[in-house]
Amino acid sequence: MALIESAFSVMSEKPLAVPGTIDNAELIRYLRAKIDQLLVVMGSQPLRPEELDDATLIALDPIGIIAESFGQVIAHLYATNNRLDIARNEIRTILDTLGAAVVVLDLEDRVEDCNRRALDWFFDGGERAQVIGHPAAEVCTCAAALGEVRSSADGSSHSTNIHGRDVQVVASKICDEAGQHAQTVMLFTDIGEQKTIERHLQLYAEVFSHIGEGILITDADNRIIEINDAVTRITGYARDELIGADPGKLKSGLHKPAFYAGMWRTLRAQGHWQGEVFDRTRDGRVVPLLQTISEVRNADDKLTHRIAVMADISSMKEAQTRLDFLAHHDVLTALPNRLLFNDRLHHAIERAQRDKSALALLFIDLDRFKNINDSLGHHVGDLLLIEAARRIKSLARRADTVARFGGDEFVVLMESGASHESAAHLAEKLVVAFKQPFTVTGTELHIGCSIGITLYPDDGTDAVSLLKNADAAMYRAKESGRDGHYRYTAELSAATNSKLELDNALRSAVRDGGFELHYQPIVDIKRGEVIACEALLRWPQAPAGASTPDLFVPVAEETRLIVPLGHWVVREALTRFQAWQAEGLTLDYISVNISAVQMAQPDFPDSIISLLLESGVAGHHLQIEITENVLMGNIDLCSWVLTQLREHGIRTAIDDFGTGYSSLSYLKRLPIDNLKIDRSFVRDIPGDPNDCAIAAAVVSLARTLGMDTIAEGIETLEQQNYLARIGCDKVQGYLHSRPLPAADFLTFVRQAHPFRTGDST
Ligand code: C2E
Ligand code: MG
Ligand code: MG
């Protein structure tokens, strides 16, 4: 009785009593009364882990202890029974309901007795009658193992594996009346489940010590009782420096008391808190941690522990800072981007409003940047932008904000002391600085800039209008000849269209046929005849700021509207040529300008050829003009296109020759008929010896390559005479005629214009 009590008392951690003499009847009564409870303890679910904390659970071996006690009880029972031979069947019935197996062997390993569970586990599920009295070796599936247990019986408990089953074993010797050892009672308890729990606990322990996050456990008094290795790694404190300490030891001092008060409030109210905490490591560094603190409560809802899980988020924070930088800066130049600039502008406006001071905005756009990108590639373009950014930054004052808005657009915000004069002064310095060539990958590049200026509050009181007006002023600067700056005026606003409006206007004009072609004669000065003409786009209803193709063609290219527009140009030019032919005007060819975007269309050659066939004009009457930059931008593509066009007799001219970056050796490989010497080289001849030399070189090279040259932009007779002398006898320019509407062009040619040649003057 006392023994059984002791077995149960294990659960309340009382020491075990040593077995005394047992009264059989009393025991049976007791077993009857307690059988349910006993089965809970020894049966399939002996443990309810939630009732025990982990540490106690690991330390305890309740099944082992109970089995040991109970095994001794049963051994006693048998000993007494042997003597009194009573109630054997009743005991059997009780034993059969046990979750444990009981086997009694004599000294020769003959089976004296066993219960139901033992029959199932060790005797193949047989019946007791087939087993009792037989040698174990004959009837038992694991006789050797049982024999071994029997021979080492000493009444203590140990665990082993029998027949694939993890069991706790107690084997006790029973003596006969003469006091001689006669039998051995063995009790086997299945501990498979306990083993599983142990394995899980082992696993948890492994996870605890190896997990990347720090785990810190405090008791109810907020003293640290356990940490894992990660805490040491994160904080730099050794284990024994933290155990017993208050977690406040890790405080960085960066948080206000209110922060911790809030944390405790949430923790008490919700049992859980999560947030970012800056702690201080042992060597004084501040480390950002993502912390989750949870309360642990027992069955009586009493706080027993708190568990803090901490993740070091330093690298995440760094990535965040980097991301933040990227979100607000231009990657290429590291200048603030549009987003950051807008933010600064908003703040600057607020300050200026308050202080009644002025601000100035400079909107800077690089001239001809696209040429460089197209011809020398984006890599060179990028390097040039970096250099340009550096140049702008070096001229701006330290307090000014210089930003890149994307593409080749930069903006400077001048705050303190901003005035029209200071803005114009900076703009002037920038224009002069940009006149100096840039050296990129060993090449000298010439690129100018156009600048639009607005002032707060005169030219706008909010960020959007200040920027929009500065953009408009910049366009005006471009319109009036590039390489300059322009202060915004109210009139400009009335006439100005933003890019978006321009895009819409272009779209409508393409749809509604709002474009015209003008034709400029190409004259052979030797023959004194108009031999051909160039078709040039005109937009009669163009919004202000987009009056010439130089201004609207780039926008049409950007929005790809140039594709339908360019298609229309070719069709219109061919239709006109056909009509003139019908009226008896025979020119060698009509020349049309083709943009890079059109060239890149896979169906470009086909579309030109079908327009040609549709018009009935012979191929050699059509010439396309492409710039060197388009050509060099994609030499293989151009070579493919030009060859296809050439198969239909179509001619090719290189436009604005000399302004780009072509290599003559490439030109040699392509079917090119004409080089058009750019106006910029013609303008200053014969006065400028450099330009004279360039023009002469182009003419002689062209001749060597079997091409003709046409000089563009001839305005004076002197220019024409010089060109004739160096062997260029085809010219185009105001000297002969401006580009004319179709009807005027026809009249012009018909007048049999008495062209004066160089020789006749
Ligand atoms: P471009 O092809 O080099 O055309 C020659 C430009 O020089 C024309 O300007 C013409 O009016 C101008 N010009 C001719 N002779 C003289 C002169 O003696 N003095 C001066 N100062 N200028 C002269 P425009 O018509 O404004 O065209 C400008 C550019 O726009 C063209 O340069 C061409 O690149 C482009 N463009 C014109 N029409 C088209 C078109 O249908 N498609 C494409 N893609 N581009 C076009
Ligand atoms: Mg042209
Ligand atoms: Mg040209």
Side-chain angles (χ1 to χ4, degrees):
M1 174 64 214
L3 185 63
I4 300 285
E5 292 275 43
S6 309
F8 286 106
S9 74
V10 166
M11 306 309 289
S12 54
E13 293 180 60
K14 280 192 224 143
L16 269 179
V18 181
T21 322
I22 294 173
D23 177 294
N24 230 8
E26 191 193 352
L27 176 64
I28 289 165
R29 253 196 327 279
Y30 187 84
L31 286 177
R32 274 189 194 287
K34 289 281 187 178
I35 191 76
D36 286 346
Q37 203 176 342
L38 201 63
L39 287 173
V40 171
V41 179
M42 304 198 62
S44 57
Q45 283 175 315
L47 296 169
R48 278 189 281 162
E50 71 273 12
E51 290 176 3
L52 297 167
D53 62 42
D54 293 350
T56 321
L57 200 59
I58 296 168
L60 276 182
D61 178 16
I63 290 188
I65 296 166
I66 292 171
E68 194 166 322
S69 319
F70 197 59
Q72 287 163 12
V73 172
I74 290 167
H76 267 280
L77 211 52
Y78 265 86
T80 322
N81 243 3
N82 276 350
R83 278 198 306 276
L84 303 176
D85 196 24
I86 55 163
R88 185 182 282 262
N89 285 337
E90 266 199 81
I91 290 169
R92 275 223 183 99
T93 313
I94 291 167
L95 292 181
D96 279 347
T97 57
L98 282 182
V102 179
V103 180
V104 184
L105 295 182
D106 68 10
L107 295 183
E108 273 80 47
D109 279 346
R110 225 187 316 270
V111 183
E112 287 272 316
D113 203 353
C114 66
N115 72 348
R116 184 66 247 164
R117 191 68 51 152
L119 288 166
D120 291 341
W121 289 359
F122 309 132
F123 298 95
D124 235 0
E127 288 306 316
R128 212 188 320 262
Q130 300 165 333
V131 166
I132 290 179
H134 292 278
E138 286 174 14
V139 289
C140 178
T141 47
C142 48
L146 293 191
E148 210 170 288
V149 171
R150 193 217 18 98
S151 58
S152 62
D154 62 358
S156 71
S157 144
H158 67 280
S159 60
T160 180
N161 187 289
I162 294 185
H163 209 40
R165 185 184 301 274
D166 287 321
V167 287
Q168 189 80 28
V169 189
V170 181
S172 304
K173 294 176 180 167
I174 299 170
C175 301
D176 58 17
E177 275 146 34
Q180 290 298 305
H181 175 201
Q183 295 166 315
T184 304
V185 175
M186 297 177 284
L187 178 106
F188 304 87
T189 315
D190 192 331
I191 53 165
E193 196 153 339
Q194 159 136 4
K195 283 260 158 150
T196 310
I197 291 169
E198 268 169 21
R199 270 196 300 276
H200 282 156
L201 288 174
Q202 183 65 31
L203 199 63
Y204 294 152
E206 289 283 314
V207 171
F208 181 79
S209 60
H210 292 117
I211 196 167
E213 276 84 19
I215 301 176
L216 182 149
I217 303 175
T218 57
D219 61 13
D221 300 327
N222 205 32
R223 296 280 141 208
I224 300 172
I225 58 160
E226 192 57 85
I227 61 162
N228 67 353
D229 295 350
V231 172
T232 303
R233 202 171 54 241
I234 294 170
T235 65
Y237 285 103
R239 187 183 151 78
D240 55 3
E241 290 175 300
L242 287 180
I243 299 293
D246 184 303
K249 182 171 183 167
L250 300 171
K251 278 185 182 175
S252 62
L254 292 181
H255 297 286
K256 299 219 168 76
F259 172 82
Y260 295 105
M263 180 185 96
W264 282 110
R265 225 180 5 258
T266 310
L267 199 52
R268 281 191 200 107
Q270 300 169 10
H272 186 84
W273 178 86
Q274 187 176 53
E276 283 182 23
V277 182
F278 289 100
D279 274 354
R280 198 173 289 280
T281 62
R282 192 175 192 280
D283 58 9
R285 267 182 317 112
V286 170
V287 52
L289 301 173
L290 179 67
Q291 281 215 10
T292 308
I293 307 177
S294 306
E295 289 188 339
V296 180
R297 293 180 174 275
N298 65 12
D300 303 330
D301 202 31
K302 198 166 156 285
L303 178 85
T304 56
H305 301 94
R306 289 190 194 88
I307 302 177
V309 178
M310 52 180 81
D312 182 349
I313 50 171
S314 311
S315 50
M316 207 171 88
K317 283 263 164 195
E318 275 159 28
Q320 205 173 336
T321 312
R322 172 103 189 105
L323 255 178
D324 210 47
F325 181 86
L326 290 179
H328 293 100
H329 290 82
D330 165 45
V331 184
L332 188 64
T333 60
L335 290 178
N337 64 8
R338 190 186 286 264
L339 202 69
L340 181 55
F341 183 85
N342 280 340
D343 195 51
R344 294 214 182 146
L345 182 54
H346 278 291
H347 285 114
I349 290 174
E350 274 169 20
R351 270 195 300 275
Q353 231 162 15
R354 218 175 31 234
D355 309 344
K356 308 230 170 321
S357 59
L359 301 172
L361 267 191
L362 276 73
F363 202 108
I364 307 165
D365 189 281
L366 307 188
D367 297 332
R368 292 175 284 267
F369 174 72
K370 210 173 154 300
N371 276 359
I372 296 197
N373 239 359
D374 287 348
S375 56
L376 299 178
H378 287 270
H379 174 61
V380 174
D382 285 353
L383 293 175
L384 179 65
L385 285 172
I386 293 170
E387 273 310 307
R390 218 172 270 162
R391 222 171 256 195
I392 298 172
K393 194 116 184 97
S394 71
L395 291 174
R397 300 170 308 179
R398 281 174 75 92
D400 299 341
T401 299
V402 179
R404 180 175 170 221
F405 260 35
D408 57 351
E409 290 175 348
F410 295 87
V411 190
V412 182
L413 167 65
M414 300 175 77
E415 286 199 61
S416 59
S419 65
H420 176 57
E421 289 69 35
S422 62
H425 181 64
L426 174 59
E428 194 54 47
K429 281 202 296 185
L430 285 166
V431 168
V432 171
F434 271 76
K435 285 202 168 127
Q436 300 304 311
F438 287 84
T439 309
V440 174
T441 58
T443 314
E444 268 200 3
L445 301 175
H446 294 265
I447 187 165
C449 70
S450 302
I451 304 174
I453 302 172
T454 41
L455 275 122
Y456 169 91
D458 300 0
D459 307 328
T461 50
D462 60 277
V464 173
S465 48
L466 279 170
L467 277 168
K468 187 174 155 211
N469 293 342
D471 186 29
M474 183 277 293
Y475 263 93
R476 172 52 68 89
K478 273 215 195 297
E479 225 174 355
S480 47
R482 294 179 164 164
D483 272 348
H485 54 92
Y486 196 87
R487 161 82 194 272
Y488 170 80
T489 60
E491 301 81 68
L492 191 59
S493 176
T496 300
N497 280 265
S498 72
K499 251 191 195 167
L500 186 68
E501 286 162 347
L502 181 56
D503 178 33
N504 283 337
L506 267 173
R507 216 166 276 277
S508 318
V510 169
R511 190 189 55 219
D512 306 337
F515 291 97
E516 285 177 11
L517 287 186
H518 282 191
Y519 303 90
Q520 189 175 33
I522 296 172
V523 175
D524 184 319
I525 42 182
K526 270 215 184 109
R527 279 155 60 187
E529 278 174 11
V530 176
I531 52 151
C533 68
E534 176 174 4
L536 293 157
L537 254 178
R538 292 296 175 262
W539 187 7
Q541 305 296 322
S547 52
T548 66
D550 272 334
L551 294 168
F552 67 77
V553 166
V555 181
E557 285 178 331
E558 231 170 83
T559 56
R560 311 186 73 77
L561 270 175
I562 195 68
V563 175
L565 182 55
H567 193 257
W568 175 84
V569 168
V570 177
R571 169 179 283 154
E572 178 68 13
L574 287 169
T575 310
R576 186 59 59 196
F577 193 87
Q578 172 67 14
W580 285 334
Q581 270 189 328
E583 292 184 54
L585 171 68
T586 320
L587 297 174
D588 287 355
Y589 57 87
I590 188 164
S591 202
V592 289
N593 295 284
I594 300 296
S595 106
V597 179
Q598 285 171 275
M599 286 292 277
Q601 295 295 305
D603 65 348
F604 173 71
D606 285 348
S607 76
I608 296 285
I609 291 160
S610 54
L611 284 175
L612 188 73
L613 299 176
E614 193 184 293
S615 70
V617 173
H620 65 271
H621 287 319
L622 177 64
Q623 172 168 276
I624 63 159
E625 293 190 10
I626 54 174
T627 64
E628 286 171 280
N629 293 329
V630 171
L631 192 69
M632 301 313 291
N634 197 337
I635 189 99
D636 293 331
L637 173 82
C638 287
S639 163
W640 176 76
V641 171
L642 298 185
T643 311
Q644 273 189 284
L645 296 183
R646 174 48 56 92
E647 279 170 19
H648 289 79
I650 297 169
R651 305 173 192 240
T652 309
I654 303 300
D655 206 353
D656 304 345
F657 191 78
T659 58
Y661 303 91
S662 59
S663 129
L664 285 169
S665 60
Y666 276 121
L667 299 186
K668 205 166 60 182
R669 290 172 22 200
L670 300 169
I672 292 162
D673 304 275
N674 288 305
L675 291 187
K676 298 185 78 173
I677 306 175
D678 190 62
R679 197 168 77 228
S680 57
F681 300 108
V682 173
R683 196 173 47 212
D684 296 328
I685 49 177
D688 184 329
N690 260 347
D691 286 349
C692 289
I694 290 171
V698 172
V699 173
S700 84
L701 269 169
R703 191 175 299 140
T704 322
L705 294 169
M707 300 170 191
D708 243 349
T709 39
I710 301 170
E712 294 187 298
I714 309 291
E715 294 184 358
T716 69
L717 212 48
E718 287 73 34
Q719 291 167 338
Q720 180 165 295
N721 289 342
Y722 176 82
L723 287 159
R725 253 203 315 282
I726 60 169
C728 170
D729 40 24
K730 311 226 169 41
V731 298
Q732 181 185 346
Y734 294 172
L735 173 65
H736 297 289
S737 169
R738 288 182 176 257
L740 297 169
D744 297 353
F745 179 81
L746 190 59
T747 314
F748 173 82
V749 183
R750 277 205 171 140
Q751 273 172 355
H753 193 73
F755 300 126
R756 288 166 295 172
T757 61
D759 300 330
S760 65
T761 51

